[in-house]
Amino acid sequence: LRFTIALAWKVAETLDLTLVSENLGNPSIPVSDLERIEMPHRYRAALAFRPVVDWGFYIDADLRKSSVYPGISVKRQPLSVGIEKGFFQNAAFLRLGLNTDISQKYIVGARSNLLLSLGVGMRVSAFLVDGGLILNKNGSINGLAIAGYYVVN
C-alpha cells in the first residue's frame, strides 16, 4: 500500500506552493516470489506561478537526496523548472522544461546530467491526455510518457 501526503497553499491569486511526502508506509512492489522492490520515500516542494490563465511557470525540487527510481540505489536530488502555454481557451497545452540533479557538482553545462523535456496536452471536457519526451544533452531520447486523466471538480 502506498501513501502520499500533500499540503497545498495558495500564497497569492497567481502563486501556489505545494509540499509533498511520497511513499509513506514503506511500500514495495513484488517482482517475484522472493524479491520485492522498495519504493523510496521522497520529500518534494513545488511552486506554480500563473500570471494569466494561459501561462504557467513551475519549479519542483526534492528536498533531500534519495533514491528516485524503485529498485535503483543511486541517490539523486532532482530539480525541474518549466513553462507551459495554453491555447484555445486552455484546451491544448505546450510545455518546455529543464531537469537536473542538484546534488551533483555540475548542474548545468557539458558535465551535467541536464535534460530537456517537451510536452503536449489536450483537454476535452473532463478528460486530459498528456504526452512527454525527455532528451539528454546529446539529443537522444531519455524518456517518453503518455498519460490520460479524468478530472473531477
Side-chain angles (χ1 to χ4, degrees):
L1 193 54
R2 176 179 181 237
F3 292 101
T4 296
I5 294 176
L7 174 65
W9 179 34
K10 189 160 206 60
V11 178
E13 187 62 32
T14 59
L15 184 65
D16 297 323
L17 169 66
T18 305
L19 299 173
V20 179
S21 180
E22 288 183 357
N23 299 326
L24 300 171
N26 300 319
S28 61
I29 302 168
V31 291
S32 72
D33 290 339
L34 302 174
E35 186 180 6
R36 297 182 74 81
I37 296 175
E38 300 296 319
M39 300 289 288
H41 190 175
R42 294 174 64 190
Y43 298 99
R44 293 189 357 237
L47 278 173
F49 175 60
R50 294 180 205 90
V52 290
V53 72
D54 59 345
W55 279 98
F57 302 90
Y58 308 99
I59 186 166
D60 179 295
D62 276 36
L63 299 177
R64 69 175 185 176
K65 198 172 176 179
S66 62
S67 296
V68 177
Y69 305 107
I72 300 174
S73 61
V74 175
K75 294 191 176 200
R76 301 181 60 226
Q77 192 172 2
L79 169 73
S80 301
V81 294
I83 186 170
E84 176 182 71
K85 171 68 173 127
F87 298 93
F88 312 112
Q89 298 177 336
N90 285 343
F93 302 92
L94 289 179
R95 301 179 185 99
L96 176 67
L98 294 173
N99 310 286
T100 192
D101 182 356
I102 57 176
S103 69
Q104 298 297 310
K105 182 176 179 179
Y106 302 100
I107 60 173
V108 294
R111 295 184 187 177
S112 74
N113 290 326
L114 187 67
L115 300 171
L116 173 69
S117 58
L118 306 167
V120 63
M122 182 170 288
R123 181 177 51 84
V124 177
S125 186
F127 293 96
L128 178 65
V129 177
D130 270 332
L133 179 69
I134 299 174
L135 302 173
N136 64 23
K137 61 188 169 200
N138 300 323
S140 299
I141 295 176
N142 206 61
L144 179 63
I146 298 173
Y149 306 93
Y150 180 77
V151 180
V152 178
N153 288 328

